[in-house]
């Protein structure tokens, strides 16, 4: 199985800050990498697919990058509604998707 | 706009089975791949398996033999049945549409989730 590891596991930041979350794959996954946001008590929501393509309706302050084994999710200027947990997910192995353990973004 | 609506919360005894439904609206269900993901309390997301329109199902090895995913295309509803329940299966179970394009796949949208509690 392809293992996905996110860092950090938690992060404190203030509104207006720029934050970067990293996701590493245990083997190369090209750009078969998706990012999701999950607010407390809610289902996950797709933010980015194919490592860098923003889902329709997602604010442009979100961006994704990387390929191979290292990926990033960047939020350029945090808004109050962005405080949530973020997950990466690989879709390289269509027989077995795997998620990162999540990064909880909290208000400082 | 595709929407997925799941069945309500369940409380089950250890050793029993649970069947969760996921009804789709707003699109062509016959063409959908539906994936099931679960989330234990305070934990991350865990992929369980999926059902494809023609190619059938594939399951995570962890759940092989205990999970069955089916779909009734006439009612636009997918089902996930988990047997041999134990306390560790207490979780929120989500369905999601597995969207594919040019070899890329992603999960969107998601159902609202179904809490399954396993307790004696």
């Amino acid at each position: 199985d392809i293992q996905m590891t996110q860092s950090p596991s938690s992060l404190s930041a203030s509104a207006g800050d720029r934050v970067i979350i990293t996701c590493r794959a245990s083997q190369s996954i090209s750009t078969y990498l998706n990012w999701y946001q999950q607010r407390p008590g809610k289902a996950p929501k797709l933010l980015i697919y194919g490592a860098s393509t923003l889902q329709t309706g997602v604010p442009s302050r979100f961006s994704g990058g990387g390929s191979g084994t290292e990926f990033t999710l960047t939020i350029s200027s945090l808004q109050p509604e962005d405080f949530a947990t973020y997950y990466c997910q690989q879709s390289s192995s269509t027989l077995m998707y795997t998620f990162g353990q999540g990064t909880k973004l909290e208000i400082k | 706009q595709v929407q997925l609506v799941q069945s309500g919360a369940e409380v089950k005894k250890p050793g029993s089975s649970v069947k969760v439904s996921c009804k789709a609206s707003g699109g062509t269900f016959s063409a959908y791949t539906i994936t099931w993901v679960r989330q234990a309390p305070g934990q991350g997301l865990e992929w369980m398996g999926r059902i494809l329109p023609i190619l059938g199902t594939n399951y995570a090895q962890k759940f092989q033999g205990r999970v069955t995913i089916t779909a009734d295309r006439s009612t636009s509803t997918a089902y996930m049945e988990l047997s041999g329940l134990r306390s560790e299966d207490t979780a929120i179970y989500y369905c999601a549409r597995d969207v594919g394009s040019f070899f890329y796949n992603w999960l969107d949208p998601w159902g609202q989730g179904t809490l399954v509690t396993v307790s004696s």
Side-chain angles (χ1 to χ4, degrees), chain A residues 32-36 46 48-50 87-89 91, chain B residues 105-106:
Chain A
Y32 298 108
L33 189 283
N34 307 317
W35 289 98
Y36 301 87
L46 176 71
I48 288 169
Y49 61 91
Y87 293 93
C88 61
Q89 174 239 333
S91 60
Chain B
N105 288 78
W106 57 90

Side-chain angles (χ1 to χ4, degrees), chain B residues 1-3 25-27 32 109:
Chain B
Q1 180 97 358
V2 177
Q3 280 195 306
S25 62
Y32 291 172

Side-chain angles (χ1 to χ4, degrees), chain A residues 2-32:
Chain A
I2 300 173
Q3 307 302 317
M4 308 300 293
T5 304
Q6 290 180 231
S7 60
S9 294
S10 64
L11 175 59
S12 293
S14 302
D17 285 353
R18 178 173 179 264
V19 299
I20 299 174
I21 298 169
T22 299
C23 178
R24 289 187 173 86
S26 60
Q27 63 189 71
S28 178
I29 58 169
S30 183
T31 55
Y32 298 108

Side-chain angles (χ1 to χ4, degrees), chain A residues 10 17 21 29 37 40 49 60 72-73 82 84 89 93 101:
Chain A
S10 64
D17 285 353
I21 298 169
I29 58 169
Q37 176 194 65
Y49 61 91
S60 59
T72 57
L73 172 68
D82 300 337
Q89 174 239 333
S93 170
Q101 81 278 15

Side-chain angles (χ1 to χ4, degrees), chain B residues 31-90:
Chain B
Y32 291 172
T33 293
I34 298 291
T35 279
W36 288 87
V37 173
R38 78 176 186 179
Q39 186 171 38
Q43 302 301 308
L45 302 170
E46 182 174 34
W47 184 82
M48 299 181 69
R50 63 181 186 167
I51 185 163
L52 300 92
I54 296 173
L55 299 178
T57 54
N58 67 279
Y59 302 121
Q61 192 163 7
K62 174 177 179 177
F63 300 103
Q64 285 277 2
R66 281 212 303 146
V67 68
T68 304
I69 297 173
T70 56
D72 182 341
R73 304 284 174 185
S74 68
T75 60
S76 300
T77 304
Y79 299 91
M80 186 285 300
E81 184 170 21
L82 188 63
S83 62
L85 290 171
R86 33 210 190 226
S87 58
E88 311 89 88
D89 294 317
T90 294

